[in-house]
Amino acid sequence: MFTHRYVARVIIEAATPLAVGSGDDDPLLDAPIALDPNALPMIPGTAISGVLRHAMAMTMDVATVDEIFGWQGHKSSDGQGSRLIISSANVIDDDGTVAEGLKPPESLSRYFKDLSSNLIVRDHCRINPRGAADAAGHGKYDSQAVPAGVRFAFELELLGTGNMNDQQNWTKILNTFRQPWLRLGGGTRKGYGAIRVCRIHARSYDLTEDKQLTEYLAKT
């Protein structure tokens, strides 16, 4: 039974343009980024989880990574869910307001409105096997990205028992976000995806203690 919760709220900044694709079809763009209901850029929690899992696997054994992030066997009955819950990362405006949930257009700040209309769109051209531009073979395409300097906020939560292993793994998870080689999204070979950690607020809760349980249930 998981009696402890390790919770962190993380604020990151795009140190370079950020291109986390939506995977959706778009009539105007070949590679659109993920957007929230307000048409503002966001980073899905699954995108953060995938990058984090890969990064953790570089310094931890496979069994520990599977135990934290979950695993699926060949049979549908074989597997384990993730103990690490990661929310989507939402944009923060220059006043520190996080764009959470659907907002009336008139309530969005000037920062949010300007960002929505000033996302980066760049033209590219695929290369053929001979190393030349393949524009004639329908190789031209465009991609969308978030400009450097945009900040996002998201939350992590690890379900645990309070033992030393959980505490050590939690510290490793948080420290991974500070690694200079960590990248999010696509285009990393073109210099995209670098992030800077601005702030991490972390706390653990022992749910067997009435006071801490009440505080955990009351958190936003």
Side-chain angles (χ1 to χ4, degrees), residues 12-208:
I12 59 173
E13 181 180 298
T16 63
L18 193 64
V20 179
S22 67
D24 296 332
D25 292 329
D26 189 290
L28 301 177
L29 293 166
D30 296 307
I33 61 171
L35 300 175
D36 70 5
N38 305 299
L40 293 169
M42 63 171 288
I43 306 172
T46 51
I48 301 172
S49 178
V51 169
L52 183 61
R53 178 172 189 150
H54 177 74
M56 298 289 288
M58 297 171 63
T59 59
M60 300 173 69
D61 62 89
V62 174
T64 301
V65 172
D66 285 347
E67 202 270 330
I68 294 173
F69 290 89
W71 58 277
Q72 181 63 58
H74 295 295
K75 298 180 180 179
S76 59
S77 58
D78 293 338
Q80 174 186 303
S82 175
R83 290 201 291 128
L84 184 64
I85 303 167
I86 305 180
S87 75
S88 295
N90 297 101
V91 174
I92 307 174
D93 71 8
D94 47 4
D95 291 329
T97 301
V98 182
E100 286 187 288
L102 180 61
K103 307 287 186 183
E106 63 275 10
S107 72
L108 294 176
S109 68
R110 172 57 59 185
Y111 177 90
F112 287 146
K113 292 176 181 178
D114 288 345
L115 174 61
S116 181
S117 59
N118 288 285
L119 297 173
I120 297 171
V121 177
R122 290 181 177 170
D123 292 328
H124 304 275
C125 189
R126 293 185 178 86
I127 304 300
N128 64 25
R130 293 176 295 178
D134 191 26
H138 305 287
K140 187 177 182 302
Y141 66 99
D142 50 32
S143 64
Q144 194 176 38
V146 179
V150 175
R151 292 187 173 188
F152 297 84
F154 63 98
E155 185 171 288
L156 306 169
E157 182 170 337
L158 179 67
L159 283 60
T161 60
N163 61 33
M164 185 61 67
N165 285 339
D166 280 341
Q167 296 174 29
Q168 292 175 346
N169 290 334
W170 180 238
T171 299
K172 290 179 181 178
I173 289 170
L174 298 183
N175 286 341
T176 299
F177 286 106
R178 298 189 182 276
Q179 299 306 313
W181 42 261
L182 190 71
R183 296 290 185 272
L184 290 174
T188 56
R189 293 185 179 181
K190 300 175 183 177
Y192 285 19
I195 63 171
R196 180 184 301 112
V197 174
C198 303
R199 190 175 303 120
I200 295 179
H201 293 291
R203 176 173 176 185
S204 62
Y205 296 88
D206 182 351
L207 304 188
T208 64

